[in-house]
Amino acid sequence: MQSRHLIDLSDLCVNEWENITRLACDIRANIDSYYGACRGKILATLFYEPSTRTQMSFQTAMLRLGGRIIGFDNPSNSSVAKGESLKDTVRVVSGYSDIIAMRHPVSGSAMAASLYSRVPIINAGDGGHLHPTQTLTDLVTLRNEKGSFSGLCIGLCGDLKNGRTVHSLIKAMSGFPDNRFVLISTPSLAVPLYIKDYLSAAGTPWHEVSNLADAMPLLDVLYMTRIQKERFASEAEYINQRGVFVLDSDKMAMAKKDLIVLHPLPRVDEITVEVDDDKRAKYFEQTEYGLYARMALIMKMLEDSSKQLPTPPPGVQTQCSNPNCITRIEPYVPHIFRKSGDILVCSYCEERTLLD
Amino acid sequence: MQSRHLIDLSDLCVNEWENITRLACDIRANIDSYYGACRGKILATLFYEPSTRTQMSFQTAMLRLGGRIIGFDNPSNSSVAKGESLKDTVRVVSGYSDIIAMRHPVSGSAMAASLYSRVPIINAGDGGHLHPTQTLTDLVTLRNEKGSFSGLCIGLCGDLKNGRTVHSLIKAMSGFPDNRFVLISTPSLAVPLYIKDYLSAAGTPWHEVSNLADAMPLLDVLYMTRIQKERFASEAEYINQRGVFVLDSDKMAMAKKDLIVLHPLPRVDEITVEVDDDKRAKYFEQTEYGLYARMALIMKMLEDSSKQLPTPPPGVQTQCSNPNCITRIEPYVPHIFRKSGDILVCSYCEERTLLD
Amino acid sequence: MQSRHLIDLSDLCVNEWENITRLACDIRANIDSYYGACRGKILATLFYEPSTRTQMSFQTAMLRLGGRIIGFDNPSNSSVAKGESLKDTVRVVSGYSDIIAMRHPVSGSAMAASLYSRVPIINAGDGGHLHPTQTLTDLVTLRNEKGSFSGLCIGLCGDLKNGRTVHSLIKAMSGFPDNRFVLISTPSLAVPLYIKDYLSAAGTPWHEVSNLADAMPLLDVLYMTRIQKERFASEAEYINQRGVFVLDSDKMAMAKKDLIVLHPLPRVDEITVEVDDDKRAKYFEQTEYGLYARMALIMKMLEDSSKQLPTPPPGVQTQCSNPNCITRIEPYVPHIFRKSGDILVCSYCEERTLLD
């Protein structure tokens, strides 16, 4: 693979994640024949914040490949509580294991970890920043359920402002021909400007609607997300708007026969329970595709599995302006930026700082 | 097996649990030859309330069969904490695993889970309601230590009112010929009426005594349980009665030479430490029989292991009157009752409601 | 092996731990060929206080040998929380597993556990008392990095009063010819008198210095430890002394070319991050040697792995005077002492009581 680690989906070239989604499909069809593919290998799951679902998915993936698992999910029980740095933890655990899946509340932490790890790092979520294996899951689901990544009208509904999985999916799918997006949200929870710019630059059509019902007849794919109550602009908006973004049987009745409904789960009440029995509801299948996606990813990443200690690149003096960037929390991490015109973009958290 | 799941011991016909206890005995004698019997299979232990002992027993059982384990024991760390329904958790985890052992504080939760699971569910305790693998453990112990399920004088001592394992054991053993029971307890902690009715209906002799010492000479089996201090009727009764239900060397001296003493563990001080060295004390062996019982159970349940999504039966409008029934906690679960004369019996929690 | 358990390093004769360190070296060179050496065996890690690092090291060791793992790291979730005795827990878990690694906050707990266990016990730390696998780790590191246990000038820096790993290392290395020690600490954190007596009795040269810089040019080995702020005699001493015991590049520049720097980890700030890039810094390698050491130890201890229930020796009436001795916490544990002149030495916690 072009990169040793998976921090962002952009670490994979299109060719690579085509390979991974194809492998995931084959694993699904022949799962038993992959038992033993990672015999003797150890996955460490370092979950600095708990996420049972994601951790179980990684663990199951490794176990179904015949590998073994170690890890933690409770930082207050770990050496971290004694003040150990991310670097030291990663140095030690990468001595024990063959691959690491890491979840951490701070933006850029997975990239920082990769600078000190002797084994491949998979980013299993770094704060609100990136969560590439969820997007990989979504892509494997689309390949299996729609047979193609092109020519799809994709509706995204709910909190489109804060939903990292939504942003990643938009970026990924706008890279394929003839897709278009319907963005279904309140004004205060619309997708950020930079995503709209991204779509326009890619020449991908999109429009916004304020109502799920209006969008239903148009869609080939509906990607639902949860809106947390506290994210509405006001209590009044919450009471007014709430039902508007709930998927129920009535709305399903307006949709195409071959619509598929996705959701990263857990859901709370944004999809009513009756929809579960609709054959077009695919969110539970989606979690299984996530298992196959992670199996394929782990296999590919372990293909070239020699342990080696990286040399971190030199950093610069300039500080990232994002107080929740890993470079602000762990002071030894080198400061690295990409220059883009007048702007410095932090390589860890993508925060953009204007040069004076 | 007649049922795909093990919610209650009644899910097994007598023939089946005879087979399981026989298999457990063979596993005990030849444990190494069973390594690999569940190769490539995954057990998920979903413990919505912690119970290290029971969870470790299930995990060890699966590992000794060559299988793998995933799971959680801390609901506050899991997706549950984000408001996920039991249905969604079970749908997802049954996509990852081949069999599930579940412990949950709410009555009927294991049965509810079985309606949505693609793989077999083992009830590892649902509130104060059922705990069938403990009873299976007790039966395997009796088969091994007494050679027979018949002709036994069985003493049950301690909190007989709240002890679910006690009630299950009484039901199971009253199905075999020539057993009789000595119920040893305070009046306020006596077995519930419906258990006495059960015994009378089965034609099984029983009598109550208020004193462990009086019962000792009669017994072939003594099943001890813990009385929690707060379960005594009053502080005065506690101080008065406490020693009466403690098993010590003096009481052991009154008993038959081939008595066996059982206890579901953990014990606190209802059996003094000196009794541990008596060859008739079998409570530590009992936990090992529990391991073999669970190995046998998992093997049998995985014999027909195709994954399939069940269709929950339709429910009725009537609500169960037990506020701690799973149908009251998870509103989408269909309400199901058995009619018994004028009475509706909830299929989840056995609560009985009189029809008006 | 001469002892079934590893409570203290003295349970191993010199010949045995020579064998273990030699095996650890071979495992390091040929790790894949040891996969399967413990196939079908189960290690239970009973961590009555959390220590993620140590627990992960044991777990990885067993998994790399092809074995399986069960255990807990959170006593509040375990049966212990229901008041279960150490004896009962060990009796039950030794029925499930083939070997136990136990960490416990109370002195002598590992030895107490060994009296009731049907399988070998490895002491993974019992309070401030013993931690033999850390010392084994240090010895394997020395053998690999220095090629010999003799002729070394060994500096020990930091909290030498409370550091159990330091005391064990001194005892072990003073058994080999031509070693000498430089003890680097504040007066209030100097090594205890009995350690100095031990060194003098062994004829091993040693001297104390109050300054890391002065010692640097002399050393072949520098063993760093953390000084917790609250262990300094006063706030003033802390502010004055702190930097004196911090290892940085300037101090490294004064040292021999073939110095090696060790640290039991986690470190906080007693070694600056820049030292990590010095080839003489071996503390991360040390954690890997710890993995091989534990693999070798588990293999050796499982060679004779028949399960057997020990008979605890009879105890005496006399009570140990240490309130944090396991005999004071678990009242059924037999009191055992060695007599040494006028003094009784507790066999669990080494507390010395003068006979009247």
Side-chain angles (χ1 to χ4, degrees):
Chain A
M1 290 179 34
Q2 71 175 10
S3 166
R4 191 171 163 72
H5 309 285
L6 180 69
I7 307 306
D8 189 1
L9 215 57
S10 63
D11 289 330
L12 301 176
C13 63
V14 173
N15 193 31
E16 283 173 339
W17 60 263
E18 285 265 4
N19 282 343
I20 290 174
T21 56
R22 206 171 298 120
L23 178 57
C25 294
D26 192 65
I27 290 173
R28 184 181 179 235
N30 307 287
I31 189 159
D32 287 343
S33 71
Y34 285 89
Y35 189 78
C38 292
R39 183 174 180 276
K41 299 296 182 187
I42 292 180
L43 165 74
T45 56
L46 305 189
F47 274 51
Y48 285 82
E49 60 182 6
S51 176
T52 314
R53 172 69 45 80
T54 303
Q55 192 170 21
M56 253 190 206
S57 180
F58 275 107
Q59 291 172 334
T60 306
M62 192 52 160
L63 294 177
R64 291 257 181 241
L65 293 167
R68 309 296 182 100
I69 51 178
I70 58 172
F72 59 76
D73 63 359
N74 194 345
S76 64
N77 271 6
S78 77
S79 309
V80 181
K82 298 184 194 162
E84 187 171 69
S85 69
L86 181 59
K87 173 188 179 179
D88 284 15
T89 302
V90 166
R91 279 293 300 266
V92 172
V93 176
S94 69
Y96 294 166
S97 60
D98 300 291
I99 189 166
I100 292 175
M102 182 175 124
R103 190 185 192 97
H104 196 287
V106 175
S107 289
S109 48
M111 175 174 159
S114 74
L115 300 182
Y116 306 105
S117 175
R118 296 178 52 199
V119 303
I121 298 269
I122 300 173
N123 184 1
D126 59 345
H129 183 229
L130 298 167
H131 191 17
T133 62
Q134 178 64 51
T135 308
L136 202 60
T137 295
D138 300 339
L139 293 171
V140 170
T141 308
L142 286 173
R143 169 180 284 279
N144 272 276
E145 294 292 336
K146 300 306 282 183
S148 158
F149 293 139
S150 312
L152 299 172
C153 178
I154 303 168
L156 298 152
C157 176
D159 180 352
L160 307 186
K161 184 180 174 195
N162 302 291
R164 59 191 167 181
T165 59
V166 162
H167 304 166
S168 295
L169 188 62
I170 290 175
K171 284 185 177 179
M173 292 304 290
S174 66
F176 291 91
D178 299 325
N179 291 324
R180 59 202 174 93
F181 289 95
V182 185
L183 308 173
I184 310 153
S185 182
T186 66
S188 58
L189 292 173
V191 291
L193 253 181
Y194 87 95
I195 293 284
K196 294 178 184 174
D197 291 349
Y198 194 100
L199 283 170
S200 303
T204 307
W206 60 274
H207 72 283
E208 293 182 302
V209 303
S210 60
N211 192 308
L212 178 52
D214 292 349
M216 288 305 292
L218 309 169
L219 305 178
D220 299 307
V221 175
L222 171 58
Y223 199 97
M224 292 293 297
T225 64
R226 179 155 60 114
I227 311 189
Q228 289 170 279
K229 188 181 164 180
E230 57 274 24
R231 293 255 163 95
F232 282 91
S234 66
E235 179 81 18
E237 191 187 277
Y238 171 70
I239 291 166
N240 254 332
Q241 291 284 309
R242 202 169 161 254
V244 170
F245 304 107
V246 170
L247 182 63
D248 57 19
S249 296
D250 290 346
K251 295 198 186 83
M252 287 300 283
M254 308 170 189
K256 291 185 185 173
K257 286 224 159 63
D258 62 350
L259 169 75
I260 63 169
V261 181
L262 305 183
H263 190 299
L265 299 189
R267 64 141 162 209
V268 180
D269 49 16
E270 59 278 11
I271 302 178
T272 62
V273 182
E274 59 193 5
V275 176
D276 298 357
D277 297 327
D278 193 304
K279 294 220 172 307
R280 295 169 292 181
K282 296 295 181 190
Y283 30 91
F284 293 120
E285 283 82 353
Q286 191 181 358
T287 64
E288 270 199 75
Y289 289 121
L291 173 61
Y292 308 129
R294 289 181 178 99
M295 289 175 73
L297 180 68
I298 291 170
M299 274 184 69
K300 286 284 180 197
M301 292 181 78
L302 281 176
E303 267 174 11
D304 165 37
S305 68
S306 60
K307 288 202 178 192
Q308 45 186 267
L309 190 61
T311 308
V316 297
Q317 279 288 328
T318 316
Q319 275 238 345
C320 175
S321 53
N322 173 6
N324 193 35
C325 174
I326 191 70
T327 57
R328 302 289 290 275
I329 314 277
E330 305 263 338
Y332 55 84
V333 174
H335 303 170
I336 313 174
F337 297 89
R338 288 191 308 274
K339 211 170 161 181
S340 161
D342 274 2
I343 287 171
L344 283 184
V345 183
C346 175
S347 296
Y348 297 88
C349 73
E350 309 292 321
E351 180 86 0
R352 300 154 81 85
T353 308
L354 200 68
L355 285 170
D356 341 83
Chain B
M1 290 178 38
Q2 71 175 11
S3 166
R4 190 170 164 70
H5 309 285
L6 180 69
I7 308 307
D8 189 2
L9 215 57
S10 63
D11 290 330
L12 301 176
C13 63
V14 172
N15 193 30
E16 283 173 338
W17 59 263
E18 286 265 4
N19 282 342
I20 289 174
T21 55
R22 207 171 299 121
L23 178 56
C25 295
D26 192 65
I27 290 173
R28 182 180 180 236
N30 307 287
I31 189 159
D32 287 343
S33 71
Y34 285 89
Y35 190 78
C38 293
R39 184 173 180 277
K41 299 296 181 188
I42 292 179
L43 165 73
T45 55
L46 305 189
F47 274 51
Y48 286 81
E49 60 181 7
S51 175
T52 313
R53 172 68 45 79
T54 303
Q55 192 170 21
M56 253 190 205
S57 180
F58 275 107
Q59 291 172 333
T60 306
M62 192 53 160
L63 294 176
R64 290 256 180 242
L65 292 166
R68 309 295 183 100
I69 50 177
I70 57 172
F72 60 77
D73 64 358
N74 194 345
S76 64
N77 271 7
S78 77
S79 309
V80 181
K82 299 183 194 161
E84 186 170 70
S85 69
L86 181 60
K87 174 189 178 178
D88 285 15
T89 302
V90 165
R91 279 293 300 266
V92 172
V93 176
S94 69
Y96 294 166
S97 60
D98 300 291
I99 189 166
I100 292 174
M102 183 176 123
R103 190 185 193 97
H104 195 287
V106 176
S107 288
S109 48
M111 176 176 157
S114 74
L115 300 182
Y116 305 105
S117 174
R118 296 178 52 200
V119 303
I121 298 267
I122 300 173
N123 184 1
D126 59 345
H129 183 227
L130 298 166
H131 191 16
T133 61
Q134 178 65 51
T135 309
L136 201 60
T137 295
D138 300 339
L139 293 171
V140 170
T141 308
L142 286 173
R143 169 180 284 280
N144 272 275
E145 294 292 337
K146 300 307 281 184
S148 159
F149 293 137
S150 312
L152 299 171
C153 178
I154 303 168
L156 298 153
C157 176
D159 180 352
L160 307 186
K161 183 180 174 195
N162 302 290
R164 57 189 170 186
T165 58
V166 162
H167 305 166
S168 295
L169 188 62
I170 290 176
K171 284 186 178 182
M173 292 305 288
S174 66
F176 291 91
D178 299 326
N179 292 324
R180 60 201 174 94
F181 290 94
V182 185
L183 308 173
I184 309 151
S185 182
T186 66
S188 58
L189 293 172
V191 291
L193 253 181
Y194 86 96
I195 292 285
K196 294 178 183 172
D197 291 350
Y198 194 100
L199 284 170
S200 302
T204 307
W206 59 273
H207 71 283
E208 293 183 301
V209 303
S210 59
N211 192 309
L212 178 53
D214 291 350
M216 288 305 291
L218 309 169
L219 305 178
D220 300 307
V221 176
L222 171 58
Y223 199 98
M224 293 292 297
T225 64
R226 179 156 59 114
I227 310 189
Q228 289 171 279
K229 186 181 166 181
E230 57 275 22
R231 293 255 162 93
F232 282 91
S234 65
E235 179 80 18
E237 194 188 276
Y238 171 70
I239 290 164
N240 254 333
Q241 292 284 311
R242 198 168 164 255
V244 170
F245 305 107
V246 170
L247 182 63
D248 57 19
S249 297
D250 290 346
K251 295 198 185 83
M252 287 299 284
M254 308 171 188
K256 292 185 184 173
K257 286 226 160 64
D258 62 351
L259 169 75
I260 63 170
V261 181
L262 306 184
H263 189 301
L265 301 188
R267 62 138 165 214
V268 180
D269 49 16
E270 59 279 11
I271 302 177
T272 62
V273 182
E274 59 195 5
V275 175
D276 299 356
D277 298 326
D278 193 303
K279 293 220 174 306
R280 295 169 291 181
K282 296 294 181 189
Y283 29 91
F284 293 120
E285 283 81 353
Q286 191 181 358
T287 65
E288 270 199 77
Y289 289 122
L291 173 61
Y292 307 129
R294 290 182 177 98
M295 289 176 72
L297 181 69
I298 290 171
M299 274 184 68
K300 286 284 181 198
M301 291 182 79
L302 282 176
E303 266 174 11
D304 165 37
S305 68
S306 60
K307 288 202 177 192
Q308 44 187 269
L309 190 60
T311 308
V316 297
Q317 280 288 330
T318 316
Q319 276 237 345
C320 175
S321 53
N322 173 6
N324 192 34
C325 175
I326 191 70
T327 57
R328 302 290 291 273
I329 314 277
E330 305 263 337
Y332 55 85
V333 175
H335 304 169
I336 313 175
F337 297 89
R338 287 191 309 273
K339 211 169 159 182
S340 162
D342 274 1
I343 288 171
L344 283 183
V345 183
C346 175
S347 296
Y348 297 89
C349 73
E350 309 292 321
E351 180 86 0
R352 301 156 80 87
T353 308
L354 200 68
L355 285 171
D356 344 82
Chain C
M1 290 177 36
Q2 71 175 12
S3 166
R4 190 170 163 72
H5 309 284
L6 180 69
I7 308 306
D8 188 1
L9 215 57
S10 63
D11 289 330
L12 301 176
C13 64
V14 172
N15 194 30
E16 282 172 337
W17 61 262
E18 285 265 3
N19 282 342
I20 289 174
T21 55
R22 206 170 300 120
L23 178 57
C25 295
D26 192 65
I27 290 172
R28 182 180 180 235
N30 307 287
I31 190 160
D32 287 343
S33 70
Y34 285 88
Y35 189 78
C38 292
R39 184 174 180 276
K41 299 296 182 189
I42 292 179
L43 165 74
T45 56
L46 305 189
F47 274 51
Y48 286 81
E49 60 180 8
S51 175
T52 313
R53 171 68 46 78
T54 304
Q55 193 170 21
M56 255 191 205
S57 181
F58 275 107
Q59 291 172 333
T60 305
M62 192 53 161
L63 293 176
R64 291 255 180 242
L65 293 167
R68 309 295 182 100
I69 51 178
I70 58 172
F72 60 77
D73 63 359
N74 194 345
S76 64
N77 271 7
S78 78
S79 308
V80 181
K82 299 183 194 162
E84 187 171 71
S85 70
L86 181 60
K87 173 188 178 180
D88 285 14
T89 302
V90 166
R91 279 292 300 265
V92 173
V93 175
S94 69
Y96 294 166
S97 59
D98 301 291
I99 188 166
I100 292 175
M102 182 175 124
R103 190 185 193 96
H104 195 288
V106 175
S107 288
S109 48
M111 176 176 159
S114 74
L115 301 182
Y116 306 105
S117 174
R118 296 178 52 200
V119 303
I121 299 268
I122 300 174
N123 184 2
D126 59 344
H129 183 228
L130 298 167
H131 190 16
T133 62
Q134 179 65 51
T135 308
L136 202 59
T137 295
D138 300 338
L139 293 172
V140 171
T141 308
L142 286 173
R143 169 180 284 279
N144 272 274
E145 294 292 337
K146 299 307 280 185
S148 157
F149 293 139
S150 313
L152 300 171
C153 178
I154 303 168
L156 298 152
C157 176
D159 180 352
L160 307 186
K161 183 180 174 194
N162 302 290
R164 57 188 169 183
T165 58
V166 162
H167 304 166
S168 295
L169 188 62
I170 290 175
K171 283 186 180 181
M173 292 304 289
S174 66
F176 291 91
D178 299 325
N179 291 325
R180 62 203 173 92
F181 290 95
V182 185
L183 308 173
I184 310 152
S185 182
T186 66
S188 58
L189 293 173
V191 290
L193 253 181
Y194 87 95
I195 293 285
K196 294 178 182 172
D197 291 348
Y198 193 100
L199 283 170
S200 302
T204 307
W206 60 273
H207 72 284
E208 293 182 300
V209 303
S210 59
N211 191 308
L212 178 52
D214 292 348
M216 288 306 290
L218 310 170
L219 306 178
D220 300 305
V221 176
L222 171 57
Y223 199 97
M224 293 293 296
T225 65
R226 179 156 60 113
I227 309 189
Q228 289 170 281
K229 187 181 165 179
E230 58 274 24
R231 293 255 163 93
F232 281 91
S234 65
E235 179 81 19
E237 193 188 275
Y238 172 69
I239 290 166
N240 253 334
Q241 291 285 310
R242 198 167 164 257
V244 170
F245 303 107
V246 170
L247 182 63
D248 56 20
S249 297
D250 289 346
K251 295 197 186 83
M252 287 299 284
M254 309 172 188
K256 292 186 184 172
K257 285 225 161 62
D258 63 350
L259 169 75
I260 63 170
V261 181
L262 305 184
H263 190 299
L265 301 189
R267 64 141 163 210
V268 181
D269 48 17
E270 58 279 10
I271 302 177
T272 63
V273 182
E274 59 194 4
V275 175
D276 299 356
D277 298 327
D278 193 304
K279 292 218 175 308
R280 296 168 292 181
K282 296 294 182 189
Y283 29 91
F284 293 120
E285 283 82 353
Q286 191 181 357
T287 65
E288 272 199 76
Y289 289 121
L291 173 61
Y292 308 129
R294 290 182 177 98
M295 289 176 73
L297 180 68
I298 291 171
M299 275 184 68
K300 285 285 180 198
M301 291 181 79
L302 282 176
E303 267 174 11
D304 164 37
S305 69
S306 61
K307 288 202 177 191
Q308 43 187 269
L309 190 61
T311 308
V316 297
Q317 279 289 329
T318 316
Q319 276 238 343
C320 175
S321 53
N322 173 6
N324 193 35
C325 175
I326 191 70
T327 57
R328 303 290 290 273
I329 314 277
E330 306 263 338
Y332 54 85
V333 174
H335 304 171
I336 313 174
F337 298 88
R338 288 191 307 275
K339 210 169 161 182
S340 162
D342 274 0
I343 288 171
L344 282 184
V345 183
C346 175
S347 296
Y348 297 88
C349 73
E350 310 291 322
E351 181 86 1
R352 300 154 82 85
T353 308
L354 200 68
L355 285 171
D356 339 85

